[in-house]
Amino acid sequence: MAPIDPHSFTDSSHPLTTHVSLSLYLDFNASTIHASALLTLSSPFSGNLSLDSRSISIKSILDPQTLIPLHFSVSSSPDPIKGSEVVVVLAGQSRLLILYSTSPSASALQWLSPLQTFSKTHPYVYTQCQAIHARSIYPCQDTPAARIRYDVVMNIPSPLSAVMSARHVRRRLPVLEEAKHLDALSSVVWCAEDRVVEEFAMEQPIPPYLFAFAVGELGFREVGPRTRVYAESAAGEVLDAAALEFAGTEEMIKQGEKLFGDYEWERFDLLVLPPSFPYGGMENPRMVFLTPTVIKGDATGAQVVAHELAHSWTGNLITNINNEHFWLNEGFTTYAERRIVEVVQGADIATLNMGIGWRGLNDEMERFKDNLEFTKLKNKQEGVDPDDVYSQVPYEKGFQFVLRIERQVGRTAFDEFLKKYIATFKFKSIDTDTFLDFLKANIPGIEKEINLQLWTEGVGIPEDAYEPVSAIYTKIISLAEVFKQGKMPSEDEVAEWKGQEWELYLENLPKSCEPSQVVALDKRYRLAESKDYEVKVSFLKLAISSKCKGYHGEVEKTLKSVGRMLYLRTLFTALAQTGGTEEKQLAKQIFAEARETYHPIAQGVVESILSKYI
């Protein structure tokens, strides 16, 4: 076997999947999908074809032309990271039809009961497939190396509607014929009066981790010629606030096109998910998923949208071939995001954004001080769960590397290089060496000016990285420095501050402070009650490490109200690593009570934190 990806059973000598046709029946009562998947390979194949799956029950695999069963086997003991290997014996086929059902424990799916939604009336389900969770929705070659087009027929309860990372084709009544390959269902169930079918098609080849859907009682607001904002229809305030927060989206798309070339995906719609969504945003093409915590009321949440928009070129058009090269997605996208923010919101805001990233990168060096492999841009992940080592390194060190190249050649020359890079590799998945070869071919002599090997394969932060400089950045850092001497910023000094300024200030305070200082800071500026979760969580982390037990209630309330992993990782780590016996017990208690409200990916991350420190 010649693996193509440390997180996949896919064999590089096998033809890759090019198209998937899915029929999905969503059973909300059982938290299960009964389904069929028709996989089309790039060429006919004879031999044992390996697929990835996780917690999937396969009924049969058929030759779709003859409907003759194909022999297959599923590994008896799942790999704790990769899941189960499905081996199908092919004899010259280029297509195979898999009949299966998902499990209630599918790692990509979170099923919300009506009581977990705004309306309290209807259920909700959504997916999160990055990094390696598409295999829990359908058996596939779950590696970014295998770019797929897909179409979907989705059968859902008629009061609900669906959105996908694909073009919506139509909504219609179910047809009897469609149920014939779903073993677990009768045509009567498929065509029940309370069911409806939604059809979708993705005509551009995307990596499997960008497969995404959400189903619930959804409403929307128009915010631009290419953009709607969706959320639960009962969450009218959320929809209105999101429409205001993201009103500038079309301008960002236009700026992205000026910088990086045509926007290739037609629509750029946004879905604000329930609070359990584990990420800030997910760049699913045509339908970006967002946490409600990015709605801050001052338009700064649009920076997350800028990041996900930038992925439309770097990440979605050009994709890392596997997670060992994740920086190719995130480093370029963080650079592109800041270029868009610089034009739309101004250089000062872009510099603040960069400063927060610089602080975060330095914090990650501390986190990985005993495992320096994960301070490299190009790293080895055999036997490593990508969710466990998810960090700011590929984002911020990757950004620093891209910025280093721009600083060397100048912005005008770098912009031309970037457009050529995107045009050359669009709809392809590449590795670090492919990028470096292209860089050296198009900017001759660059390897003499920048140590490319040190940047991509070296540990830590290279000496020629760039700490941002601006008047406001320098002022905030100096105010954080004097806090050590007991001096709080005056109300005049912070009068113009928004969330980013406070976040940068808090992140540059000492790791722990005198409890009385922390309490006084909060008494004056009410940071623990901030509506901006970056500010609130940064402050609560400081309060925990400073032994301010009076904030335990606010920590518990926060961890029970959101499921974004950025906040869960920060606060659970603070409780479990820096806290005493009381804090460790509190961490265990909160997780036991809140666990079922978190997405399965987030559950796994918190479990690994608690097992490491408690």
Side-chain angles (χ1 to χ4, degrees):
M1 181 175 178
I4 201 169
D5 186 326
H7 302 121
S8 173
F9 292 107
T10 303
D11 191 317
S12 62
S13 65
H14 294 174
L16 295 177
T17 307
T18 57
H19 191 276
V20 180
S21 290
L22 290 164
S23 292
L24 308 175
Y25 180 94
L26 275 62
D27 183 344
F28 280 88
N29 291 330
S31 300
T32 298
I33 300 173
H34 303 296
S36 69
L38 176 62
L39 275 56
T40 301
L41 305 176
S42 60
S43 61
F45 182 68
S46 296
N48 294 341
L49 181 78
S50 295
L51 302 173
D52 301 304
S53 74
R54 180 184 290 123
S55 305
I56 280 178
S57 173
I58 298 177
K59 313 296 191 302
S60 59
I61 301 180
L62 309 175
D63 180 323
Q65 283 187 298
T66 64
L67 298 184
I68 293 173
L70 300 172
H71 181 72
F72 73 95
S73 61
V74 181
S75 53
S76 55
S77 54
D79 180 278
I81 296 168
K82 294 189 285 189
S84 300
E85 181 179 15
V86 179
V87 177
V88 190
V89 181
L90 298 181
Q93 290 93 348
S94 61
R95 299 199 304 162
L96 55 153
L97 179 64
I98 306 170
L99 313 184
Y100 69 96
S101 295
T102 64
S103 161
S105 64
S107 58
L109 293 163
Q110 183 167 24
W111 301 84
L112 302 177
S113 70
L115 289 177
Q116 291 176 286
T117 67
F118 276 101
S119 72
K120 312 297 182 192
T121 307
H122 294 291
Y124 193 108
V125 65
Y126 69 88
T127 62
Q128 173 55 42
C129 289
Q130 196 178 42
I132 53 170
H133 301 283
R135 65 195 67 184
S136 70
I137 299 176
Y138 65 99
C140 58
Q141 292 167 316
D142 194 4
T143 169
R147 301 183 75 100
I148 58 164
R149 295 173 172 87
Y150 71 82
D151 54 65
V152 173
V153 172
M154 186 185 299
N155 187 306
I156 62 175
S158 55
L160 308 183
S161 56
V163 293
M164 285 203 80
S165 57
R167 178 174 61 85
H168 185 256
V169 178
R170 59 177 172 161
R171 179 181 173 99
R172 59 168 173 79
L173 293 174
V175 178
L176 284 170
E177 179 77 4
E178 294 168 334
K180 66 182 180 182
H181 292 315
L182 300 179
D183 282 3
L185 290 178
S186 68
S187 55
V188 174
V189 174
W190 178 269
C191 294
E193 285 186 5
D194 62 346
R195 306 291 296 191
V196 70
V197 162
E198 301 259 30
E199 290 183 29
F200 297 89
M202 169 47 74
E203 286 108 349
Q204 294 144 307
I206 62 170
Y209 71 78
L210 291 177
F211 177 87
F213 67 79
V215 178
E217 194 178 23
L218 301 175
F220 64 86
R221 301 281 188 273
E222 300 279 358
V223 295
R226 292 180 269 192
T227 305
R228 286 176 172 177
V229 174
Y230 291 81
E232 288 183 69
S233 54
E237 288 183 11
V238 173
L239 272 171
D240 292 339
L244 279 173
E245 191 85 16
F246 309 134
T249 300
E250 178 62 22
E251 178 61 22
M252 289 197 295
I253 299 173
K254 288 177 179 176
Q255 292 302 328
E257 288 182 309
K258 284 181 185 176
L259 290 168
F260 314 120
D262 290 344
Y263 180 77
E264 299 269 0
W265 307 94
E266 187 184 8
R267 299 285 305 172
F268 184 72
D269 292 324
L270 310 169
L271 172 67
V272 180
L273 284 143
S276 59
F277 184 59
Y279 291 99
M282 182 63 211
E283 65 269 19
N284 306 309
R286 301 182 65 105
M287 184 61 67
V288 164
F289 284 12
L290 296 168
T291 168
T293 63
V294 301
I295 303 171
K296 301 171 189 287
D298 59 7
T300 58
Q303 290 180 33
V304 174
V305 174
H307 184 90
E308 307 314 330
L309 169 64
H311 268 304
S312 302
W313 292 273
T314 53
N316 297 5
L317 269 188
I318 305 176
T319 308
N320 50 236
I321 199 164
N322 63 48
N323 213 68
E324 293 181 331
H325 306 273
F326 190 44
W327 79 271
L328 285 168
N329 278 20
E330 297 300 350
F332 273 97
T333 296
T334 303
Y335 172 85
E337 166 207 341
R338 288 172 182 156
R339 289 290 304 276
I340 293 169
V341 168
E342 183 181 311
V343 174
V344 176
Q345 297 187 344
D348 277 352
I349 299 297
T351 302
L352 277 178
N353 185 315
M354 199 188 308
I356 292 167
W358 177 256
R359 178 70 260 162
L361 178 59
N362 280 273
D363 287 347
E364 297 291 26
M365 295 302 123
E366 175 67 20
R367 173 185 167 194
F368 290 118
K369 64 184 179 183
D370 298 324
N371 201 345
L372 291 174
E373 180 68 21
F374 299 110
T375 68
K376 300 177 181 177
L377 290 182
K378 176 184 172 186
N379 51 64
K380 293 179 173 61
Q381 294 191 17
E382 185 68 47
V384 174
D385 188 330
D387 292 332
D388 287 346
V389 294
Y390 178 84
S391 79
Q392 291 302 300
V393 173
Y395 294 76
E396 297 298 342
K397 187 175 178 181
F399 162 77
Q400 286 285 342
F401 180 38
V402 177
L403 183 65
R404 177 68 186 88
I405 301 167
E406 185 219 84
R407 286 163 49 218
Q408 185 64 42
V409 303
R411 178 166 282 190
T412 302
F414 186 70
D415 283 354
E416 290 304 310
F417 167 80
L418 196 53
K419 283 182 178 173
K420 186 175 181 182
Y421 168 63
I422 291 168
T424 301
F425 293 107
K426 71 178 184 179
F427 297 115
K428 292 183 173 68
S429 299
I430 67 170
D431 62 12
T432 299
D433 288 345
T434 301
F435 167 73
L436 293 178
D437 289 344
F438 183 80
L439 176 67
K440 289 183 282 189
N442 285 274
I443 306 179
I446 190 73
E447 69 273 23
K448 295 185 179 69
E449 305 296 336
I450 302 173
N451 189 332
L452 303 179
Q453 185 175 10
L454 176 69
W455 267 101
T456 55
E457 299 181 40
V459 302
I461 304 174
E463 289 184 1
D464 51 346
Y466 175 77
E467 181 175 3
V469 176
S470 76
I472 190 163
Y473 177 81
T474 304
K475 176 69 173 173
I476 291 170
I477 300 302
S478 66
L479 287 173
E481 286 291 323
V482 298
F483 187 79
K484 296 169 189 173
Q485 284 85 54
K487 184 180 183 302
M488 255 192 291
S490 70
E491 292 186 13
D492 286 344
E493 287 171 318
V494 305
E496 301 296 318
W497 284 16
K498 294 182 180 176
Q500 278 192 302
E501 287 88 342
W502 275 113
E503 183 186 357
L504 184 64
Y505 175 75
L506 290 166
E507 290 298 324
N508 281 278
L509 294 179
K511 297 297 180 190
S512 63
C513 303
E514 280 295 316
S516 58
Q517 274 187 288
V518 176
V519 172
L521 182 66
D522 184 48
K523 188 174 181 181
R524 180 178 291 184
Y525 295 114
R526 318 301 291 179
L527 300 174
E529 300 167 16
S530 174
K531 296 289 190 289
D532 186 320
Y533 272 85
E534 266 77 8
V535 175
K536 176 197 281 277
V537 169
S538 293
F539 176 78
L540 292 176
K541 178 179 71 170
L542 176 67
I544 293 167
S545 62
S546 302
K547 312 299 184 205
C548 298
K549 297 183 187 296
Y551 291 97
H552 285 181
E554 191 61 42
V555 171
E556 180 173 355
K557 180 181 169 185
T558 302
L559 288 171
K560 287 182 174 179
S561 61
V562 295
R564 186 176 175 184
M565 289 194 293
L566 175 68
Y567 309 145
L568 303 188
R569 188 181 275 112
T570 297
L571 294 181
F572 276 112
T573 299
L575 288 170
Q577 182 183 17
T578 64
T581 304
E582 184 180 339
E583 285 78 14
K584 293 179 191 297
Q585 188 57 43
L586 180 63
K588 288 164 66 176
Q589 173 211 316
I590 293 171
F591 183 53
E593 294 171 2
R595 186 183 190 280
E596 292 308 310
T597 68
Y598 297 158
H599 188 281
I601 298 172
Q603 291 176 10
V605 166
V606 177
E607 283 167 356
S608 68
I609 291 170
L610 299 187
S611 65
K612 181 177 180 180
Y613 295 116
I614 298 179

